Amino acid sequence: MDYVLVNNVVADNQWQQIKAQASDPKHPNVISLVSAPKLGKYFGEPGVNGINVLDRLTHRKYHPGQYRFFNDVPVPYWDKVFVNKDGSISIYDHGSEIGKEYLYPNTRRAAQDVRYTNPDGTMDYIEEYAYDGTIFSNLFYAEDEMLEMVFYDQQQRPVVRYYLYQKVINLVTVEDPETHEVLKRYDSLDAFYNDQLQSIVTADDTVTIDYMGVELLALANTKSHNILRLAESPLDDQGHVRGNLVDILTDRIKTIQTVQVSADDYKILEKQDLPLEKVTIITDNVNI
């Protein structure tokens, strides 16, 4: 199977580009690493085989056309949800604002998340809702710093937890939603992604990435045929060939077997003292 691997899907135009890059744009096979509440808008489209490494563990299904109405969010008893003149939505408890609600962009009613604050104004926790209105996650804070992210299945049971220290995820756990027994733990987000990718793609699959960031790290131990379709300049801001690209071309990074570049970028690489056996030129989605 041919997959497109992306870190995240954040905008409509990006999604159209991802589908166009797929071997079958009408039935794309897309793997994403970051799970976001809005992902269901894209992966819920007919014909899309969308796999998110986190949603795969929570067994989340997408329900296009559904959403959570803005006044259907859990608030303390007797609290009021009030729409301000500027369009923002406040939650008041005994006359004091204790949180704000945010809607999905370009909607008038669909709740995206609720952000509760402490009496001193610092963040307490955020409850996020998937695009179809189901509870997606809770983000917990202490002294205005995020400490934990909890991702739920559609029975609102915790399955995956990210623990943070100084804004860095340094522990990921996967638990049984019924017994809460920890089934797996990872010392980093990269280790989590790497293990999940190994369980999805096989030696018979082809995976295409555009960037040499977290996507490249996630493919580290896969057996699939992996393609880098270079979406950025081969040169960094100092005019040098990007370090990861050098390592790919010299086979110090063996994860990528094929590098696809534009004709202009090929000319740039020709001027470098680098092997180009892995490189092919792409023009209008056709390899030359």
Side-chain angles (χ1 to χ4, degrees):
M1 188 173 290
D2 293 337
Y3 291 103
V4 176
L5 172 63
V6 297
N7 186 32
N8 197 5
V9 185
V10 296
D12 293 353
N13 58 349
Q14 178 201 9
W15 175 239
Q16 296 305 320
Q17 185 176 0
I18 290 169
K19 290 196 295 183
Q21 183 179 328
S23 58
D24 182 355
K26 292 185 178 180
H27 301 89
N29 303 307
V30 184
I31 302 173
S32 71
L33 300 175
V34 173
S35 184
K38 192 179 179 180
L39 193 61
K41 176 182 179 181
Y42 307 116
F43 281 11
E45 288 184 3
V48 174
N49 176 30
I51 303 173
N52 176 266
V53 297
L54 197 152
D55 290 347
R56 181 169 170 259
L57 293 170
T58 62
H59 301 288
R60 179 169 293 280
K61 303 297 182 183
Y62 305 115
H63 304 91
Q66 297 182 17
Y67 65 92
R68 182 180 292 261
F69 200 74
F70 77 91
N71 66 354
D72 184 25
V73 297
V75 299
Y77 198 65
W78 294 117
D79 280 18
K80 295 184 178 180
V81 178
F82 186 79
V83 181
N84 303 306
K85 290 183 178 179
D86 63 1
S88 63
I89 301 174
S90 298
I91 300 170
Y92 286 95
D93 180 75
H94 296 90
S96 298
E97 185 181 81
I98 62 170
K100 282 193 174 181
E101 181 180 345
Y102 292 81
L103 304 180
Y104 275 102
N106 303 317
T107 70
R108 298 179 61 187
R109 300 178 178 86
Q112 174 181 281
D113 61 66
V114 177
R115 307 175 192 185
Y116 285 101
T117 53
N118 297 306
D120 63 358
T122 58
M123 189 66 68
D124 183 12
Y125 78 94
I126 300 175
E127 182 162 279
E128 296 184 305
Y129 306 105
Y131 205 71
D132 61 5
T134 55
I135 292 180
F136 181 78
S137 69
N138 279 142
L139 317 178
F140 297 101
Y141 292 74
E143 298 181 356
D144 225 19
E145 183 174 314
M146 189 188 301
L147 298 183
E148 183 181 358
M149 305 170 69
V150 182
F151 300 92
Y152 299 96
D153 64 13
Q154 289 182 292
Q155 286 74 51
Q156 300 181 24
R157 301 175 301 186
V159 178
V160 180
R161 299 177 190 264
Y162 292 172
Y163 296 91
L164 297 87
Y165 177 69
Q166 295 183 345
K167 301 180 181 180
V168 176
I169 297 172
N170 62 357
L171 176 64
V172 178
T173 62
V174 180
E175 64 185 69
D176 185 309
E178 295 184 358
T179 67
H180 302 297
E181 175 189 2
V182 175
L183 305 176
K184 286 190 175 183
R185 63 177 62 232
Y186 306 89
D187 292 334
S188 69
L189 190 59
D190 287 339
F192 171 65
Y193 287 158
N194 190 264
D195 184 55
Q196 294 305 310
L197 259 292
Q198 288 184 78
S199 67
I200 296 173
V201 300
T202 71
D204 296 325
D205 296 326
T206 298
V207 182
T208 300
I209 63 173
D210 284 348
Y211 297 98
M212 295 176 287
V214 64
E215 301 94 329
L216 180 61
L217 295 173
L219 288 171
N221 294 322
T222 56
K223 305 299 183 183
S224 50
H225 179 84
N226 301 322
I227 299 170
L228 169 63
R229 185 185 180 96
L230 198 61
E232 54 193 334
S233 170
L235 305 180
D236 60 22
D237 293 339
Q238 288 72 45
H240 302 132
V241 179
R242 297 180 185 277
N244 278 344
L245 182 55
V246 171
D247 289 342
I248 290 170
L249 296 179
T250 57
D251 217 29
R252 285 194 289 270
I253 294 180
K254 300 181 183 297
T255 307
I256 301 296
Q257 293 80 43
T258 302
V259 179
Q260 298 178 345
V261 301
S262 67
D264 289 342
D265 285 343
Y266 189 86
K267 291 177 182 178
I268 292 174
L269 291 175
E270 276 187 314
K271 298 177 183 179
Q272 311 297 321
D273 186 21
L274 291 168
L276 300 180
E277 288 82 2
K278 289 186 176 183
V279 181
T280 62
I281 301 174
I282 50 173
T283 302
D284 297 327
N285 296 320
V286 177
N287 292 349
I288 297 178

